[in-house]
Structure formats: C-alpha cells, structure tokens
C-alpha cells in the first residue's frame, strides 16, 4: 500500500510543524529525524509546513550586514579575502595559479632583500605576460620601498633590442619605468605620482631600440601586459 | 530584489565551486538573511557570526539544493533560521548543535504540491489573524524568534503542557484555515 500525503495521521502533520518550528525536545527531535529518513510522506509534511510558514518571512525587514562580515566569511571559507575576480576576468591566469604566484612573489622578495622584519606596507603583484606566454614577468610592488621588483620567468629581448617597462594609469599616457636590464631580476622605483592609484595601473613591456624609446612613448610592439592587483 | 531564477542559478554555480557566483549570492540575499537572524538573536555581534555560519552551510550544501522542494529563498532562510536557533540555544543551554542543513529534507513534491504550498504561504498572515491574539503571537514567536515551549510558557504565564496544547491546536487551525 502506498502512502500519499492524504493518509498522514493528523498527529504526524503537527509533529512536522513542531519539527520545523524547532519546538521538539532533543529526544523527540532525534526520533523524528530518524523517521524522516525512512518516510517520504513525513518529509513531504516538513516541506509543506516549511512553505506554509515561509509566508511570515516576508514581514521580516532586511538589514544590511557590515561589509566586514562578508570579508570575514570569505576568509573563513577560502582563507583569504576574495580578490580573484580580476584574474579570472583577465584570462591571463591559466598558466600560473595564484598559489604559485604567491610563492614566486615571496621568493622574489626574499632574493632581493636581506632578511628584515616585513613591513606591513601594501603588497601588490602583477603578472606581465604575453598572450602566448613567450614573455612573462612577475612584478611585486613593495610599498615600503616604493619599488617595483621584477622577475622575468620567460622570454627576453630580441637580438639588438631592449625591453622597456611602462606604467599606464586609467586614461593616461604610458609612463616609462625604464629599460629592463639583461638580468632576470631587477627593481625600479615607481614615481610618487603613480603610487596612490597603484591598484588601477596596468604594467606593459614594449620592444624598443637600444637605450629605450627615443620619444618617451612606446615605439615598438607591446609584448606583454598585466594589471596590478593586491596580493 | 533578485528573482527566483537568479538565486537558483547562483546557488547552482556555487555548488560547482564558483566563488564569484557565491559572492553575488551573498550580495543579493545577505540583508534578508541577516534580518531573519537578527529577529532570533537580537545581538548584532552574534547575528554576524551566525550569518557567516549560515553562508558557510549554503556554500557547502549548495549541491543539495536542487533535490530540495523549497524555493531557493526559503531554502536559504531555513538554513539561516536554524543556524540562528542553534546559536541561541548553544548560548542558553548546551544542546547539541544541529547542522542546520541536515534539517532540510530532500523530498521532491510534485509541482502541484509546490503550487499549493506557495498559495498557502500567502495566506498565513490572514489565518494567524483568525486565531486569538496571544495564540497567533505564540506561533510567530516560535517561528520568527526561535522561542521554545518553555520560553513561550514563561512569557505567557501558562504551564508548559498548556502551552504545547495551545500551540498544537493553533497549528491545526492554521493548517485548516490555509487549506480553505
């Protein structure tokens, strides 16, 4: 014999209501839950009471939680504030996971500076990469020193050419940060004027004649680009 | 206010581990859920804690949503309410903390049953108003504030068993009224 919702004894329906309202004492609650797993008709009663009572939700006013609650939630769930959306959007990220960049950033800093207490200065990173990954640089901005430290992890300048680094603020002309040396690591000072808007900067590397662009603007092909993001 | 389809879509994406979708889901629903939790917990700091717990359950149990017969908002509100009540009772006594999501049954009502339930939901306020004033208030207190029989008995100044009889009778009349 099948048991449809209509065959439910009245008592079970009320028990389901008490269950939904959290009115059962712990022993009753446990007994009810044990039955629930076995009896679909009882589960349907719970669903029905949940829906019936949900009409009361409409009368509850919305209250916006403080923004810090969301940050805290994401830290609890994911271990860090959610800052990944840029990278996901940029689509530059397939080759390097955030974890490996964090590790690389850590080592880039380690290799460039003597051990010292890490200042709580803002840390920003950028992966400046060619679409085909033929040229790739990792940039870490050290707020305490006002420097961008660079590590080239793939590619280099063509024969008889140099690589020049540019910082581009929104709706502004590129500002040269200098010609990159042959070494795979280097550090350049970020002009004071660009530091405030750091998080909105895009870094780019162009192909230039020896000595760098003669005009003050990129003259050769832009080989690699990357936006700056807080670490 | 987000649509049902939008919330459903965001829950489905969250189930696949899409953090951006989960972030949007939070933005669309957290004010409602926080309001629900505040009704139970009153205190803002505990409510914030419970809100985080509730969303952690939403994230972890998002894949169970589709199997559940409830509307997406009702599903999330049920998690929020139960989490808040767990916090409330953990604070008061030492009751085992239930996993609120475990309390959600995965029955799949027919569309017909769902439509009936949705129609009933709109009727609850009118039906509660048909009850004597304090009986309606007791049902509201249980649902909106997570109050127990003992708690209700105390504030209405009646013995616990009387309160239980009252409330069960009220629920029965409520059900009859909503089925009319």
């Amino acid at each position: 014999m099948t048991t449809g919702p209509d065959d439910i004894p009245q008592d079970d329906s009320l028990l389901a209501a008490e269950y939904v309202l959290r009115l059962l004492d712990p022993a009753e609650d446990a007994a009810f839950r044990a039955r629930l797993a076995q009896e679909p008709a009882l589960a349907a009663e719970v669903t029905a009471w949940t829906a019936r009572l949900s009409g009361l939700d409409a009368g509850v006013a919305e209250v916006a939680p403080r923004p810090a609650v969301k940050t805290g939630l994401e830290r609890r769930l994911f271990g860090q504030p959610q800052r990944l959306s840029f990278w996901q959007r940029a689509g530059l990220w397939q080759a390097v996971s955030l974890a490996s960049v964090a590790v690389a950033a850590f080592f880039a800093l380690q290799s460039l500076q003597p051990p010292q207490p890490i200042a709580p200065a803002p840390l920003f990173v950028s992966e400046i990469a060619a679409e085909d990954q033929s040229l790739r640089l990792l940039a870490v901005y050290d707020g305490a020193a006002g420097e961008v430290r660079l590590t080239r992890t793939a590619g280099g300048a063509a024969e008889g050419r140099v690589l020049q680094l540019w910082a581009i603020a929104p709706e502004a002309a590129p500002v040269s940060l200098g010609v990159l040396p042959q070494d795979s690591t280097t550090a350049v000072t970020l002009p004071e004027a660009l530091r405030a808007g750091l998080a909105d900067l895009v870094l780019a590397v162009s192909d230039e004649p020896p000595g760098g662009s003669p005009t003050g603007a990129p003259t050769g092909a832009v080989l690699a680009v990357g936006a700056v993001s807080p670490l | 206010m987000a649509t049902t389809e939008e919330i459903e879509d965001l829950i489905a994406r969250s189930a696949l581990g899409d953090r951006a979708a989960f972030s949007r889901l939070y933005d669309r629903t957290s004010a409602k859920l926080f309001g629900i939790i505040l009704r139970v917990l009153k205190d803002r700091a505990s409510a914030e804690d419970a809100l985080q717990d509730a969303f952690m359950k939403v994230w972890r149990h998002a894949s169970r949503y589709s199997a559940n017969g409830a509307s997406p908002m009702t599903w999330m509100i049920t998690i929020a309410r139960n989490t808040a009540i767990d916090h409330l009772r953990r604070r008061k006594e030492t009751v085992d903390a239930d996993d609120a999501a475990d309390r959600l049954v995965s029955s799949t009502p027919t569309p017909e049953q769902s439509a009936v339930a949705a129609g009933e939901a709109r009727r609850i306020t009118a039906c509660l108003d048909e009850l004597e004033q304090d009986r309606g208030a007791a049902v509201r207190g249980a649902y909106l504030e997570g109050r127990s029989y003992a708690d209700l008995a105390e504030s209405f100044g009646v013995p616990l068993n009387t309160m239980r009889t009252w409330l069960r009778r009220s629920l029965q009349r409520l059900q009859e009224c909503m089925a009319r």
Side-chain angles (χ1 to χ4, degrees):
Chain A
M1 180 187 116
T2 55
T3 325
D6 290 340
D7 304 320
I8 291 265
Q10 191 58 54
D11 262 5
D12 270 355
S13 177
L14 285 182
L15 212 51
E18 289 178 294
Y19 171 80
V20 171
L21 288 169
R22 302 286 301 263
L23 287 168
L24 299 175
D25 69 37
E28 292 170 319
D29 195 77
F32 186 87
R33 288 169 71 151
R35 283 184 58 201
L36 206 48
Q38 310 293 321
E39 300 176 36
L42 202 59
E45 280 295 318
V46 169
T47 305
W49 272 107
T50 302
R52 267 178 212 128
L53 291 162
S54 70
L56 289 173
D57 298 333
V60 178
E62 298 195 359
V63 183
R66 295 181 303 127
V69 178
K70 185 181 182 186
T71 318
L73 167 70
E74 287 178 336
R75 190 175 303 118
R76 283 175 72 188
L77 271 178
F78 310 128
Q80 62 190 19
Q82 173 71 319
R83 298 281 193 194
L84 304 179
S85 54
F86 162 73
W87 299 109
Q88 288 163 350
R89 262 184 287 125
L92 292 169
W93 212 234
Q94 295 88 337
V96 189
S97 74
L98 185 73
S100 69
V101 165
V103 169
F106 177 73
F107 283 113
L109 275 176
Q110 288 292 305
S111 63
L112 285 161
Q113 69 184 10
Q116 56 176 250
I118 294 169
L123 201 56
F124 290 84
V125 293
S126 175
E127 194 206 26
I128 312 163
E131 211 144 329
D132 61 2
Q133 302 291 324
S134 59
L135 176 64
R136 196 168 69 216
L137 294 99
L138 179 79
V140 178
Y141 175 71
D142 178 358
E147 283 183 331
V148 179
R149 298 158 197 268
L150 294 138
T151 303
R152 197 169 69 240
T153 55
E159 192 79 49
R161 304 286 290 178
V162 297
L163 298 176
Q164 189 163 356
L165 180 67
W166 306 86
I168 308 160
E171 294 162 35
V175 175
S176 174
L177 297 182
V179 171
L180 298 177
Q182 292 293 317
D183 306 5
S184 62
T185 64
T186 186
V188 298
T189 305
L190 191 70
E192 199 86 60
L194 292 175
R195 290 180 197 172
L198 189 65
D200 297 315
L201 284 186
V202 169
L203 298 179
V205 172
S206 68
D207 170 67
E208 300 293 348
S213 162
T215 67
T219 58
V222 173
L223 302 175
V225 289
V228 174
S229 173
L231 185 64
Chain B
M1 186 64 194
T3 64
T4 297
E5 290 74 26
E6 186 183 5
I7 303 290
E8 249 169 9
D9 179 63
L10 293 175
I11 292 174
R13 286 167 191 266
S14 299
L16 299 172
D18 182 339
R19 293 181 188 185
F22 182 68
S23 169
R24 283 203 300 282
L25 181 64
Y26 180 95
D27 294 342
R28 302 281 192 283
T29 59
S30 57
K32 186 71 189 183
L33 265 52
F34 195 48
I36 298 279
I37 289 171
L38 268 175
R39 283 296 290 266
V40 175
L41 286 172
K42 323 290 189 210
D43 164 68
R44 223 178 157 95
S46 340
E48 288 178 347
D49 204 32
L51 182 68
Q52 289 185 344
D53 283 357
F55 270 99
M56 289 176 80
K57 287 165 188 166
V58 168
W59 171 254
R60 292 190 177 133
H61 298 286
S63 60
R64 289 210 222 155
Y65 165 68
S66 57
N68 189 279
S71 87
M73 257 339 261
T74 301
W75 182 73
M76 292 185 69
I77 286 172
T78 303
I79 290 179
R81 240 186 93 247
N82 281 312
T83 304
I85 292 173
D86 287 341
H87 276 242
L88 179 72
R89 301 197 177 160
R90 207 181 304 154
R91 198 164 70 188
K92 276 187 174 167
E93 322 146 28
T94 36
V95 176
D96 268 29
D98 281 324
D99 183 351
D102 277 353
R103 303 188 62 86
L104 296 166
V105 288
S106 2
S107 75
T108 357
T110 64
E112 194 186 353
Q113 281 172 320
S114 298
V116 169
E120 282 182 339
R122 284 190 288 275
R123 297 174 50 82
I124 188 162
T125 310
C127 286
L128 276 177
D129 290 345
E130 283 188 15
L131 301 174
E132 294 90 305
Q133 202 180 5
D134 51 358
R135 311 279 164 111
V139 174
R140 283 195 164 91
Y143 183 75
L144 295 173
E145 297 173 51
R147 304 183 69 181
S148 65
Y149 277 132
D151 192 9
L152 291 167
E154 197 188 323
S155 52
F156 287 89
V158 297
L160 195 140
N161 279 337
T162 308
M163 178 47 75
R164 186 168 192 179
T165 309
W166 263 30
L167 214 124
R168 288 176 65 103
R169 203 168 287 153
S170 302
L171 289 168
Q172 197 162 3
R173 283 178 54 196
L174 193 61
Q175 186 179 10
E176 285 159 11
C177 170
M178 291 177 79
R180 279 207 296 268

